[in-house]
Amino acid sequence: MKIFSISRIKNEMDIIESFIRYNMNITDGMIILDNNSNDKTTQILSSLMDEYENLYVYNNTFNEHHNIELEINYLLDLAVKEYDADMIIPLDADEFIVSSDGNPRKIIEKLSNNENSYYSYYWKTYLPIYDDFKLSTLKYIRSNSLEDHQKIILPSKLVKNNNIRISPGSHTINHNNPNIKNETIDSLRLAHIPIRSKQQCISKICNGWLNNRTKLTYDSRNSWHQKKIFDMLIENNLELTDEQLIDIAIGFSSKITYDNKDNLIEESIFDTSFCEDLSLKYTDNNVNAYSNILSNMEQLCIKYSNLENTHKNILTKQANDTIDEEYTLHKYINLLENTNLLLENQLSKNNTLQQEKENNLKTKIINLNKKIKEYDETINAKNKKILEYESVINQKNDKLSLYEQTIHKKNDKINAYIKTVEKREKVIENLENQLNKTS
């Protein structure tokens, strides 16, 4: 079986070498579309291509800005039609195929290449709890209870015999065949390392959100997690603590709510035992977030300027007496769109605040219930002591009653002795009187 991965990447200089060296142990080839990276990613890819003859790197030449669906499906077509792959695995640069039993390739090779089904497997998200990022330093993941996203694996026959399109994020596919089924592969997981350092997080989120927001096909349902972190970064002046970085990684791209993050961190050492040498030769972990953001903003400004010029040129082709009116109308439309965006942002902030209030309220209720339980336990302990005291008092009272009864008996005996003595004294007195009379 010929196994290929397909990937869209941009500014991944801290992980791209690990991504390729590891996944090359599983795949027969990797196809990568470089989305005009402005860090050292392009140079690292060039060096790796000298080492791996089955690493194929393409530069993004699409005019359409940041069209994820267009780009990933272009790579899908390349894998099937140009490289004759049997099984195609969409991967992001922060994703690594893993299994609980050695090389995942053994499991993938057993998957059927058929035209009526495709495969899915869940994320396994690693957390930035280490001194320096390397695959060998990964030891902690977030709980599986937070993993609500699956990624797909596509058989080539399914692609060739159906009108298949990978959806943004590669979580599922779009098709019109009701007979196509999805099978979850529990023996495979996708190690996901979206957050690796503070600078990498800032670069990833700021550029990712800005690029997504400027797409012509922008859909807030696909970018909500980026927007949430983006707003937090703005509020904190692009500064992050270690705890905040871990919080971001735990909640990344998951809508599942939780109260205590400490209960959601589990140990799971990243297995590289089946891999050839994973030594890094070209990697630089010093991600310069601000340079990446500024370069990306410059590209966006150029695209916006070109779009504005195109927009104005279209309008100038209209009749001269309607140009100002048409242009003003379009400006009003843009104003309304921007106003709508502000309202969406405000609604998002309100929802976030409401969610925080609900979470705080839940925490308070949990703490109150704990206090009530503690009070109940204290009261039960006091009541138990009281019962013990009452039992002792009852025992003392019983003894006291016995003592009183004994005293009463003693008193009765004493009274009887006194009466006997008094009788005897009268007898003696009578005897003495009689004796005196006779004498």
Side-chain angles (χ1 to χ4, degrees), residues 182-379:
N182 178 22
E183 180 182 346
T184 297
I185 309 300
D186 294 325
S187 54
L188 282 180
R189 298 295 293 275
L190 192 57
H192 186 212
I193 320 168
I195 305 299
R196 302 179 290 278
S197 68
K198 295 174 185 177
Q199 288 293 303
Q200 175 268 333
C201 176
I202 293 169
S203 177
K204 177 187 183 78
I205 297 303
C206 291
N207 289 323
W209 165 247
L210 293 173
N211 285 331
N212 277 324
R213 188 58 193 87
T214 53
K215 286 193 303 182
L216 295 176
T217 56
Y218 165 71
D219 186 342
S220 60
R221 293 173 298 180
N222 297 329
S223 311
W224 60 270
H225 65 289
Q226 289 179 331
K227 173 60 175 168
K228 182 179 177 181
I229 304 170
F230 182 81
D231 288 342
M232 187 193 81
L233 289 173
I234 290 177
E235 186 176 346
N236 294 340
N237 196 28
L238 293 184
E239 294 182 356
L240 288 171
T241 65
D242 293 339
E243 284 298 309
Q244 286 173 325
L245 194 71
I246 295 172
D247 285 338
I248 290 172
I250 290 176
F252 190 84
S253 197
S254 175
K255 292 185 177 181
I256 299 174
T257 58
Y258 55 90
D259 296 317
N260 187 351
K261 72 176 181 184
D262 293 334
N263 297 330
L264 298 172
I265 299 176
E266 301 175 359
E267 187 172 1
S268 180
I269 296 174
F270 195 105
D271 179 22
T272 59
S273 60
F274 62 90
C275 296
E276 295 182 4
D277 185 16
L278 295 178
S279 299
L280 303 179
K281 300 178 183 178
Y282 319 113
T283 297
D284 185 350
N285 286 325
N286 297 315
V287 176
N288 194 329
Y290 305 115
S291 293
N292 290 345
I293 294 169
L294 289 173
S295 297
N296 186 58
M297 288 178 66
E298 183 180 36
Q299 291 179 13
L300 292 179
C301 288
I302 293 170
K303 289 180 180 295
Y304 178 78
S305 177
N306 291 337
L307 185 62
E308 279 282 283
N309 288 330
T310 302
H311 180 211
K312 192 170 182 179
N313 288 336
I314 291 172
L315 292 177
T316 55
K317 291 180 181 179
Q318 307 295 325
N320 289 333
D321 57 348
T322 62
I323 288 176
D324 291 338
E325 182 181 348
E326 290 283 340
Y327 193 70
T328 301
L329 177 61
H330 281 79
K331 285 294 183 183
Y332 277 126
I333 291 173
N334 289 338
L335 177 62
L336 289 172
E337 289 177 346
N338 289 333
T339 303
N340 184 56
L341 174 60
L342 290 174
L343 291 173
E344 285 181 0
N345 291 341
Q346 188 60 47
L347 180 61
S348 176
K349 287 183 179 179
N350 290 341
N351 288 338
T352 301
L353 289 173
Q354 185 64 30
Q355 186 63 51
E356 289 177 356
K357 288 180 180 178
E358 289 179 5
N359 290 338
N360 290 336
L361 185 59
K362 286 179 182 178
T363 302
K364 288 180 180 178
I365 291 171
I366 290 171
N367 291 334
L368 284 173
N369 286 333
K370 286 181 180 178
K371 285 287 185 185
I372 291 170
K373 186 177 180 181
E374 290 173 1
Y375 292 147
D376 285 341
E377 290 173 353
T378 302
I379 291 169

